[in-house]
Amino acid sequence: MFISTVAVMEVLELLSELVSFETVNDPARGIKPSKDCPRFIMDRLSEWGIESRLLERDGYYAVYGEIGEGKPRLLFMAHFDVVPVNPAEWETDPFRLTVEGNRAYGRGSADDKGNVASIMLALRELSRERLNGKVLFAFTGDEEIGGRMAMHIAEKLSKEGKLPEYMINADGIGMVPIIRRRKGFGVMLRIPSERVRVKGRLREKTFRISTPVVETRHAAYFLPGVDTHPMIAASHFLRSRNALAVSLEGSFLKGNVVPGEVRLKYIEPGEGGDVEVDLGLTRLLKAIVPLVRAPIKTERYSDYGVSITPNLYTLEGGEHVLRIDVRAMSRSKEDIERAMREVVEFNLPGAELTVMTNEKAGYLFTQPGERIVRVMLEVLEGEGERAEPIEGPGAADSRFFTPYGVRAIDFGPRGGNIHGPNEYVEVDSLEKMPRIYKGVALRLLGG
């Protein structure tokens, strides 16, 4: 298909403006997106004659609006918040879109501002059509920390009798309809520091991430047997050498972001001077290997099984704190806690275990024969894209709508390094996105 230069420049210019807003969500450091980005989205839509309003909840924002008349038929959703960055790992400015060949680099280019730009342009075109029903849209600012704005919007639409038949959650990747996604859980472990002096030689070892097939730091994409997780490697190292930990540092960013590296100071007891070691940290790190193999029960089959990744370590007030990301086809917090507690009681007696999840969230499990899936595949074929519905590794905001019976898919352009350094979106796929979203909407609405 001929690629329109005008269309390419338009979506790239809009994406460039969106990337320039530093919409980082990092609650551990008290950082959240301001009103600036959602205000920009509203102002641009207003220039095109599309009304929207700003929603706020607990200091987080979303943009919501509707076009067309009649019964709500379709909801578009995407998010403008992004995960933190480590600028030292980037080859370009993460908040300045940099185009090199077919790749546009920038934090959020693939996850998820490329989708925000694409939906905005699709809405502009749809607003000029005579639609057989309403198209709803929402751009949220807290997806990366749990998506409570999406939950609030789902509850609000349910109470108002405005839930749509279909939802395109534009938070996917790869130009394929994602019809399954697991639910996410957070596990936090606390154990007191216990310092003693032991004879030995102080040593240091660095463990680095390795993702040789899919370049990403997103915890849900981590694939045991292929990828190397620095924290799991450090755990295995301590267990295999009967070593004692002294301290642990690393490039820790967020609970669902695999750290790029960790630096372990340790000793192997024997000859040498007196060195202060931490028995609490040693036990915590050694417990990681069995923790990531906890026998978690699931409700449905998943291509990715259960993912358990220990991604964030801190020392808080004399306590070692480890935050673990869990992904499973399960709604049961109790099943997750039961499996993790069994491991903790054997390996870390006395440790405090907390399991966190949003009880109102489900998981995405749409059947391949649903109309929204078939329509998306037809539109993609018209754009020269051959695709099959797949399961996506990570969770997304569609999980707040599926419990209400909304038939949903996740979708997005090709790209890479999601949640990692040098995140990018492929330009040729991004150029097609507004047309794809418009085409699917018109077919679903019968316009």
Side-chain angles (χ1 to χ4, degrees), residues 257-277:
V257 179
V258 179
E261 67 174 36
V262 299
R263 297 174 296 280
L264 173 68
K265 288 185 178 179
Y266 69 98
I267 72 162
E268 293 177 3
E271 294 183 359
D274 281 350
V275 179
E276 188 177 67
V277 301

Side-chain angles (χ1 to χ4, degrees), residues 341-415:
R341 190 168 297 282
E342 183 178 359
V343 178
V344 168
E345 287 178 351
F346 186 80
N347 292 274
L348 284 171
E352 179 184 337
L353 170 70
T354 306
V355 178
M356 298 154 288
T357 191
N358 190 320
E359 300 291 351
K360 295 183 180 180
Y363 44 74
L364 178 64
F365 207 90
T366 300
Q367 296 299 329
E370 287 284 357
R371 184 167 179 244
I372 188 171
V373 181
R374 292 187 282 106
V375 167
M376 175 59 81
L377 293 174
E378 291 167 3
V379 172
L380 285 171
E381 187 171 0
E383 289 287 339
E385 299 280 346
R386 291 197 171 272
E388 295 292 336
I390 67 165
E391 178 180 334
D397 283 344
S398 50
R399 69 190 188 276
F400 294 109
F401 293 83
T402 54
Y404 292 101
V406 177
R407 286 157 286 181
I409 61 172
D410 293 357
F411 189 75
R414 285 185 290 268

Side-chain angles (χ1 to χ4, degrees), residues 209-361:
I209 189 173
S210 174
T211 53
V213 178
V214 178
E215 295 183 15
T216 179
R217 298 287 175 83
H218 197 308
Y221 289 75
F222 179 81
L223 189 61
V226 177
D227 302 328
T228 300
H229 194 297
M231 292 289 282
I232 301 174
S235 175
H236 185 48
F237 176 82
L238 284 176
R239 292 169 66 90
S240 65
R241 290 184 174 240
N242 194 33
L244 300 173
V246 174
S247 65
L248 183 73
E249 296 178 341
S251 53
F252 299 108
L253 291 177
K254 193 169 174 282
N256 65 353
V257 179
V258 179
E261 67 174 36
V262 299
R263 297 174 296 280
L264 173 68
K265 288 185 178 179
Y266 69 98
I267 72 162
E268 293 177 3
E271 294 183 359
D274 281 350
V275 179
E276 188 177 67
V277 301
D278 194 317
L279 299 181
L281 177 60
T282 301
R283 287 195 291 269
L284 179 64
L285 293 177
K286 286 186 174 182
I288 286 176
V289 166
L291 281 166
V292 299
R293 288 163 171 75
I296 292 174
K297 177 183 175 183
T298 61
E299 298 168 11
R300 288 178 179 265
Y301 162 80
S302 165
D303 285 353
Y304 295 93
V306 176
S307 297
I308 306 173
T309 52
N311 302 315
L312 188 60
Y313 161 78
T314 54
L315 179 60
E316 302 174 9
E319 287 189 316
H320 299 288
V321 182
L322 181 66
R323 291 171 173 85
I324 301 172
D325 183 90
V326 178
R327 310 288 171 127
M329 282 289 189
S330 172
R331 296 184 179 90
S332 174
K333 174 182 173 182
E334 291 73 24
D335 285 346
I336 306 299
E337 184 169 351
R338 187 179 302 111
M340 299 300 284
R341 190 168 297 282
E342 183 178 359
V343 178
V344 168
E345 287 178 351
F346 186 80
N347 292 274
L348 284 171
E352 179 184 337
L353 170 70
T354 306
V355 178
M356 298 154 288
T357 191
N358 190 320
E359 300 291 351
K360 295 183 180 180

Side-chain angles (χ1 to χ4, degrees), residues 194-212:
E194 185 181 343
R195 298 187 180 278
V196 298
R197 300 194 74 84
V198 177
K199 287 188 178 296
R201 296 186 185 277
L202 181 63
R203 303 178 187 276
E204 182 172 336
K205 188 171 180 63
T206 299
F207 302 88
R208 294 183 175 86
I209 189 173
S210 174
T211 53

